[in-house]
Every structure is written in structure tokens, then in C-alpha cells.
Amino acid sequence: MTTIPAIGLMHSLRSGNATAPRLTWYGPDSERVELSGRVLDNWAAKTSNLLQDELDAEPGMRLRLSLPAHWKALVWALAGWQLGLETVLDGGPADFLVTDSPGAHEGQYDAVIAVALPALAMRWAGDLPAGCLDYAAEVRSHGDVFMPHTDPDPSGRAVLTGQGTSVLHGELITGFAVPHTDGARLHVPAAAGLENALAHALGAWQRDGSIVLTHPEVALTDKLLAAERIHGS
């Protein structure tokens, strides 16, 4: 079986101290979402199964993430990576588009997936363009365990950055993630963008750490820092 860093990372998230927080999100209107390693793996597995079973995604295909830095965007990146897809962050062409603003992309993609960002959203609020898939309404019906039909290729491309640089699956940790100390509990501002959030999250998770991701409207107060025990580098 071919092993890529993303698959090893998902295994570590769901094993060991799987109930520890790995991703905490602070959003508008006092929204707080906390995902343990097990829950994060569960969301990624369901999303990978949606891609593989419903959209016929396979290694080497391209997944464009047109999303802000948000906990659901990180789930989508993990789902694509463990399936062997290339995550496109520069707005370039792709097989699939994942977006919180559907409506102007007809005909450019094999599938457009609309992501409602509110944590409690059970479906997209309002009408969607014909053929657009509603992530919130569809994802929960998919399996909690992901088994790829085809082993991902470590020499395949994992990320196309906003600067147009490609990173291979086999180099996802060494060539894309930002290194962090063991067990770090990091603050990551969503205002710095999705690419920054992904790079820091990977670096923290790789070393048994976690992140606190905050929406631009959320003030980083001393109370929040203390409550979330943010530390490390």
C-alpha cells in the first residue's frame, strides 16, 4: 500500500490521544466549534467518501478551494489530500470547485460543491444553481471510515499554492507545512488566509499539536488566550 503523509497524519489524529482538541474555531455571533482528532478525522472521512463515491474523484484530480480560512475549509483540504487530489489555492482550473459563493461557475467544473459556513447549517440557505451539490445536506449520509479505491501517488501534486508553486504529496509536510514545537497550541488568524491556516495546522498536527482559528471579527482577548491555553511556536 502506498503511504503519503496525509494518510499517516489522519491515522495519528484518530489514534493515540484522539479525544484531545485539534481544531478550535471562533466565528461571528459567538460561534465556537471544537473538533477532536477523532471528530476531525470523521469529517474528513465523510468528505472523502462524498468525493470518491458520489463525484468519482480519484488521485491526480484537482480540487479548487474557493473558501475563506474556516474549519470546514481545513476539512476539505484533508479530505482531498487523503484521496490523493491536488488542492488548488491559486484560483486556477480544477475538476471540482468547493465554494461558499456558488452561482457564477457553470460549465467550468465537473462538480460545484456549495459549503454553508455556519456550524449548525443543515443545508444551504436559499436556492442553488442547477447541478450544484449542497455539502451540508449531503455529507452526513456518507461513511465514517475512508478507504481509497486507488492508492495515492507520493509523486503526485498535493498543493498548488497561491504563488503558483506545486508541492508533491510525498513532500506535503516537509515542503508546505510550517514547523512547530511538540504539542503547540497555536493561534491562527483567519485574516491571514486559507493557505497560511493550512500550513500552520499541518505543522502543528504533525507534532501532536492543535490550532485555534479565529474569524477576522473575533477579538483576540487575554480571556480567550487564557481559556484556550494558547502557547508554543
Side-chain angles (χ1 to χ4, degrees):
M1 178 177 177
T2 301
T3 300
I4 59 174
I7 291 178
L9 176 62
M10 300 313 298
H11 175 76
S12 69
L13 287 173
R14 65 177 175 267
S15 60
N17 192 9
T19 59
R22 297 298 181 189
L23 170 57
T24 305
W25 161 255
Y26 278 84
D29 302 319
S30 301
E31 182 180 82
R32 182 182 183 276
V33 177
E34 184 167 278
L35 284 74
S36 66
R38 183 175 295 135
V39 172
L40 182 56
D41 172 70
N42 181 261
W43 271 95
K46 285 180 174 292
T47 305
S48 293
N49 283 322
L50 183 156
L51 279 163
Q52 180 173 257
D53 299 337
E54 193 161 337
L55 301 177
D56 297 324
E58 58 186 24
M61 299 181 80
R62 308 183 87 211
L63 178 73
R64 178 183 167 192
L65 296 185
S66 181
L67 294 170
H70 186 276
W71 71 267
K72 292 182 182 180
L74 271 62
V75 165
W76 268 99
L78 289 172
W81 285 329
Q82 71 176 349
L83 183 52
L85 304 186
E86 178 184 7
T87 297
V88 177
L89 300 175
D90 73 342
D95 300 286
F96 309 108
L97 172 69
V98 181
T99 179
D100 62 331
S101 301
H105 309 286
E106 292 81 355
Q108 300 179 35
Y109 304 92
D110 293 347
V112 175
I113 303 98
V115 176
L117 297 181
L120 299 180
M122 299 299 292
R123 61 184 62 255
W124 185 265
D127 297 328
L128 285 173
C132 189
L133 189 146
D134 184 346
Y135 176 64
E138 299 291 337
V139 68
R140 288 175 175 82
S141 66
H142 289 272
D144 296 338
V145 177
F146 174 65
M147 298 292 290
H149 295 168
T150 305
D151 291 342
D153 183 358
S155 66
R157 292 188 294 185
V159 180
L160 181 62
T161 71
Q163 293 73 44
T165 302
S166 291
V167 180
L168 305 182
H169 277 285
E171 301 170 351
L172 186 61
I173 301 301
T174 58
F176 179 70
V178 175
H180 289 292
T181 55
D182 290 346
R185 176 74 165 161
L186 303 174
H187 170 245
V188 179
L194 178 55
E195 185 173 326
N196 178 77
L198 287 170
H200 282 282
L202 283 174
W205 293 333
Q206 179 68 12
R207 301 298 295 271
D208 201 32
S210 60
I211 70 165
V212 178
L213 182 63
T214 57
H215 187 276
E217 295 178 8
V218 174
L220 189 65
T221 62
D222 290 341
K223 181 179 179 180
L224 188 154
L225 288 168
E228 295 297 344
R229 301 179 180 179
I230 294 170
H231 64 86
S233 60

